Amino acid sequence: MGITEQTILEQFPFWRAALAPKEPLPEVPVTVFVGCGTSYNLSLSLAASANAHGRAAVAVPAREWVDRPQSYWPNWRQAHVVALSRSGETTETIAAAEASRSAGARVTGITCAAGSGLAAQSDRVVFAETHPAEGIVMTSSASLMLLLGLQLIGIPVDERVVSAAEAALTATDRAATALIAGRSHFVYLGGGPLFGIALEGALKLLEMSQTFAQAFHPLEYRHGPISLLDERTVGVMLYGDARPEDEALLVGEMQAKGARVIGFGGPGDVAIDVAVAPVVAGLAVLPALQLLGERVAEARGLDTVAPRHLTKVVTLA
């Protein structure tokens, strides 16, 4: 077992350690979730979940929030900023926290490094210990930051979610080898809070296996991107709770055009049960998507401990 695989399979004790309820975020005109890379994808999911639960929210890449916050919220100084960074040392994210506080906004930092630069620039720090062997690719830490963020917006996460994630991971691992054989194009589809998770699944595959991957809202896929679909395509459908029957129709179209499809929460060539409420389904499928990236990398003979061109922390001069 490689180190990246180890951090994926062994992440659940860290989830259980983080299950204690958290004091919710304050009620403000808007909550802004900021981050870079994986942390931005998680921010997109958290903002959608917050809006669905009555809390106005947006997700913004950290550097965008530094440079042009007014493009994302006109009265941006009234925001409560939630900054996500595994290391707490990502340059853009620290700058976003610092700029927000300088303008009068309060900042909550979500991190896996309690004594970090982000912690120093936050009014409140929410911390979870992650797997000590985790390297460049964010696995356990990504799941943990999503878990913490859900708790902060008032969405409970309990043992049932952990068990569902373990089951989805095991089922995906059983199916992965046959699903990915001979495939070189991956498409991740999810709507609402699952769109950020689809983006994160695609990012994991890109990072770990250097394989072409895309992510879309499900019914947007017909509007152009489907032109790339062929017998080399794997579709990853994250079924939502709004119109799953429409998503199933799209899956059928993709299969008819040559794709193999893994359906989380619905039909596909492989159907993975997601036995939790839709609001926490993204968290429950995230480890399975991480493992899918690892299995594709293995099939290509790549070491995911040190993906090319990547470093564990992005710091800018």
Side-chain angles (χ1 to χ4, degrees):
M1 182 188 300
I3 293 174
T4 305
E5 180 179 357
Q6 179 185 359
T7 67
I8 296 169
L9 298 180
E10 296 178 356
Q11 65 184 284
F12 301 108
F14 298 93
W15 289 34
R16 291 184 169 96
L19 289 182
K22 307 292 185 294
E23 179 184 346
L25 296 170
E27 296 295 334
V28 291
V30 64
T31 300
V32 180
F33 295 90
V34 302
C36 300
T38 287
S39 296
Y40 173 60
N41 293 338
L42 302 179
S43 294
L44 285 167
S45 183
L46 289 168
S49 295
N51 283 311
H53 283 74
R55 177 188 294 273
V58 294
V60 184
R63 187 69 210 190
E64 286 288 289
W65 188 249
V66 174
D67 290 343
R68 51 185 71 85
Q70 68 280 0
S71 296
Y72 298 94
W73 197 266
N75 299 319
W76 61 274
R77 291 177 179 84
Q78 300 176 18
H80 187 94
V81 176
V82 181
L84 288 77
S85 172
R86 165 181 62 175
S87 67
E89 299 297 345
T90 302
T91 301
E92 299 107 298
T93 306
I94 294 174
E98 184 176 9
S100 299
R101 294 179 83 196
S102 295
R106 293 183 67 79
V107 174
T108 294
I110 299 179
T111 183
C112 296
S116 60
L118 176 60
Q121 291 296 334
S122 298
D123 298 289
R124 176 188 179 190
V125 179
V126 182
F127 164 79
E129 182 181 358
T130 192
H131 197 295
E134 186 172 292
I136 292 174
V137 177
M138 288 177 62
T139 53
S140 174
S141 60
S143 306
L144 287 163
M145 290 196 295
L146 181 59
L147 187 158
L148 296 176
L150 289 169
Q151 291 174 321
L152 289 176
I153 59 178
I155 296 172
V157 181
D158 58 24
E159 175 61 35
R160 290 170 294 183
V161 182
V162 186
S163 297
E166 290 175 317
L169 177 67
T170 299
T172 300
D173 200 17
R174 285 198 298 263
T177 300
L179 183 78
I180 66 179
R183 304 284 158 148
S184 57
H185 172 217
F186 288 72
V187 176
Y188 293 74
L189 302 171
L194 293 173
F195 177 60
I197 304 305
L199 281 169
E200 177 58 11
L203 178 61
K204 279 292 151 289
L205 196 88
L206 285 164
E207 290 177 329
M208 297 164 79
S209 72
Q210 298 160 30
T211 302
F212 184 42
Q214 301 168 288
F216 303 97
H217 295 90
L219 300 191
E220 283 295 297
Y221 187 58
R222 292 190 182 95
H223 296 270
I226 199 170
S227 63
L228 292 177
L229 187 153
D230 60 19
E231 69 282 352
R232 294 166 295 182
T233 302
V234 172
V236 181
M237 176 62 81
L238 309 181
Y239 282 91
D241 59 342
R243 298 291 292 274
E245 63 277 8
D246 290 342
E247 294 167 345
L249 286 173
L250 174 59
V251 165
E253 292 175 27
M254 294 172 70
Q255 291 170 313
K257 291 177 170 63
R260 295 188 193 127
V261 180
I262 180 169
F264 288 92
D269 296 277
V270 177
I272 306 295
D273 187 32
V274 184
V276 292
V279 70
V280 289
L283 177 59
V285 305
L286 188 52
L289 301 184
Q290 295 166 355
L291 188 68
L292 188 60
E294 173 73 9
R295 293 292 178 253
V296 176
E298 287 177 357
R300 299 194 64 198
L302 296 175
D303 179 6
T304 57
V305 172
R308 67 177 184 179
H309 308 322
L310 298 180
T311 57
K312 187 170 184 178
V313 181
V314 176
T315 55
L316 307 176

